[in-house]
Amino acid sequence: MSNYVFLIDANKTPMNPIHPAHAKKLLNAGKAAVFRRYPFVLIMNRVVENIVTYPITLKIDPGSKFTGIALINNLDQSIWGMELQHRGAAIKDSLENRKAVRRGRRARHTRYRQARFLNRKRPEGWLAPSLRHRVLTTETWVKRLCKYAPIASIVQELVRFDLQQLENPEISGIEYQQGELAGYEVREYLLNKWDRKCAYCGVENVPLQVEHIKPKAKGGTNRISNLCLACEKCNLKKGTQDIEKFLAKKPELLKKILAQAKKPLRDATAGNSTRWALFNILKKTGLSVTTGSGGQTKFNRTRLGLPKAHWIDAACTGVVQALEILTTKILTVKATGHGCRRMCRIDKFGFPCTKAKQTFTHISTGDFVRVELRKDRKHVPSGIYTGRVKTPTDEGCEVVINGFRVTFSAMEDVFKIHRNDGYSYA
């Protein structure tokens, strides 16, 4: 079933999200109209007096590449889900490209921007642009959802792993030997550190066991730096041997495993830094903000028998006694950006290689449109489609439909349904 539909009255006051079948009845009866496509929001044609709403909890599972978001009603039911794909890597590449172009100008002694790396200080809490983007896009969607739903509280997965208050990047086993979460933090940490593969043979998609690099029988400890993942075959074959003896014929693999064992999970640390920045921003909303760890999320998901997905991880964040999934078709969002201020494309040497950009008032690149093809085109049969504008023209536009560019010489068969806002939707 699809996500529940957001509903606001004529004063744009958020009401309880409604079932898609209920939304269809309101549209057919003319009592509501489409206010926004992504996320799908209906607006009533009248002001509703004395609106009674139930509290909705917004749950967030921040990640370095994807962020999962879920809305949970007062009956512990997941009524709305979303996965947000960040563009941190694209931002990093763009900044490196800009740096190379500016350095090239300085080397040629042409007109250039003065270097400003000695006269500026980074403010407290500074994040790299690629990391700051993750925080800002998540903040944007939190504010957007608060406008369309009666959200009363927020639950955030503050740290993917409990890294000892971020003071010690290695987890000791002694703190996790008691309680219902015993082992979950350690196993989740190891799965990410060793890429969900056997450290010795590299096999994937098989049950993996926690293996002591230095056997406990010979004084090995339970610290993360002495743990790795191994399949049952390799674990039994190694037994209580020293790793130097077990991998005596594979010196390169031995060197790689020993280096990986001592290396902390850098991605997790970077993710944790953005999560703390996001947590401080969420507190400024005035809503109640609670947190949970990644190990707790995995424990809840495993206990409830739910599949692995970013938005389901978000729904399982924090304290969860019971959870019912009422939606399976979620909103998938990808951050695409608004383009750049560059007036034309440049080659690898920094020289312009295209004409200057044109501006059009009727439509813009990235707008979502509904088009009607009256006759078959190459690779695209006739029919009604929804796509994004690739290139506007003086009188028409070029629309991407099913991965192919289709040119419309006039706008009579093109209807704009959603303005470009820096995201693509599915």
Side-chain angles (χ1 to χ4, degrees), residues 51-328:
I51 298 177
V52 178
T53 59
Y54 53 76
I56 292 179
T57 302
L58 171 63
K59 293 194 172 185
I60 307 173
D61 174 30
S64 59
K65 296 181 180 178
F66 290 88
T67 290
I69 298 177
L71 297 183
I72 311 298
N73 63 12
N74 58 337
L75 300 177
D76 293 328
Q77 296 171 327
S78 176
I79 60 175
W80 195 85
M82 166 184 157
E83 289 185 355
L84 172 62
Q85 182 178 352
H86 301 294
R87 57 185 297 267
I91 292 175
K92 181 176 180 294
D93 293 341
S94 297
L95 291 175
E96 289 181 348
N97 183 34
R98 186 184 70 178
K99 180 177 68 173
V101 170
R102 288 181 177 177
R103 285 188 174 184
R105 291 190 193 132
R106 296 185 187 111
R108 294 194 304 269
H109 300 290
T110 55
R111 182 176 179 271
Y112 67 95
R113 182 187 300 233
Q114 288 285 349
R116 296 177 58 200
F117 49 83
L118 295 177
N119 62 344
R120 289 184 291 181
K121 288 185 178 180
R122 291 178 176 174
E124 185 178 357
W126 178 89
L127 288 174
S130 58
L131 296 178
R132 186 166 174 264
H133 151 79
R134 297 176 173 95
V135 178
L136 295 180
T137 51
T138 306
E139 178 192 11
T140 296
W141 277 94
V142 169
K143 291 180 178 179
R144 188 172 293 179
L145 294 176
C146 287
K147 290 166 55 178
Y148 304 134
I151 295 174
S153 60
I154 300 175
V155 181
Q156 178 199 353
E157 186 182 288
L158 182 59
V159 288
R160 192 171 189 179
F161 314 102
D162 184 4
L163 297 182
Q164 302 293 322
Q165 302 293 329
L166 296 181
E167 295 175 359
N168 183 4
E170 296 291 351
I171 303 175
S172 300
I174 195 169
E175 288 86 354
Y176 301 92
Q177 293 173 358
Q178 298 177 356
E180 59 182 7
L181 290 177
Y184 271 85
E185 300 281 1
V186 174
R187 284 196 293 269
E188 185 69 5
Y189 188 93
L190 290 174
L191 284 171
N192 283 268
K193 185 172 184 177
W194 296 94
D195 297 326
R196 302 179 184 271
K197 301 177 183 178
C198 174
Y200 301 123
C201 67
V203 66
E204 298 181 77
N205 302 321
V206 298
L208 298 174
Q209 301 174 354
V210 178
E211 210 277 317
H212 291 77
I213 297 175
K214 183 178 181 180
K216 292 190 69 176
K218 297 185 178 180
T221 65
N222 286 329
R223 292 183 63 84
I224 286 291
S225 56
N226 191 47
L227 298 179
C228 69
L229 293 177
C231 62
E232 184 177 9
K233 181 180 178 180
C234 292
N235 199 2
L236 293 175
K237 186 176 180 180
K238 179 176 181 291
T240 58
Q241 298 181 70
D242 289 328
I243 190 171
E244 291 81 3
K245 181 179 179 181
F246 178 62
L247 297 177
K249 297 181 180 180
K250 300 178 180 178
E252 294 183 359
L253 179 59
L254 173 63
K255 182 179 179 181
K256 178 181 177 182
I257 291 177
L258 294 178
Q260 179 71 8
K262 295 180 180 179
K263 182 180 178 181
L265 199 56
R266 185 175 62 179
D267 290 341
T269 306
N272 287 338
S273 64
T274 59
R275 287 174 173 84
W276 281 106
L278 177 61
F279 174 72
N280 293 328
I281 286 177
L282 294 179
K283 288 196 301 184
K284 296 179 181 179
T285 61
L287 300 174
S288 171
V289 181
T290 56
T291 62
S293 69
Q296 186 181 22
T297 299
K298 184 176 182 180
F299 171 75
N300 292 331
R301 178 168 50 82
T302 305
R303 176 174 57 86
L304 297 171
L306 298 174
K308 170 69 175 176
H310 297 288
W311 72 277
I312 290 181
D313 280 347
C316 295
T317 300
V319 179
V320 178
Q321 300 299 333
L323 181 64
E324 182 181 2
I325 304 296
L326 297 185
T327 178
T328 54

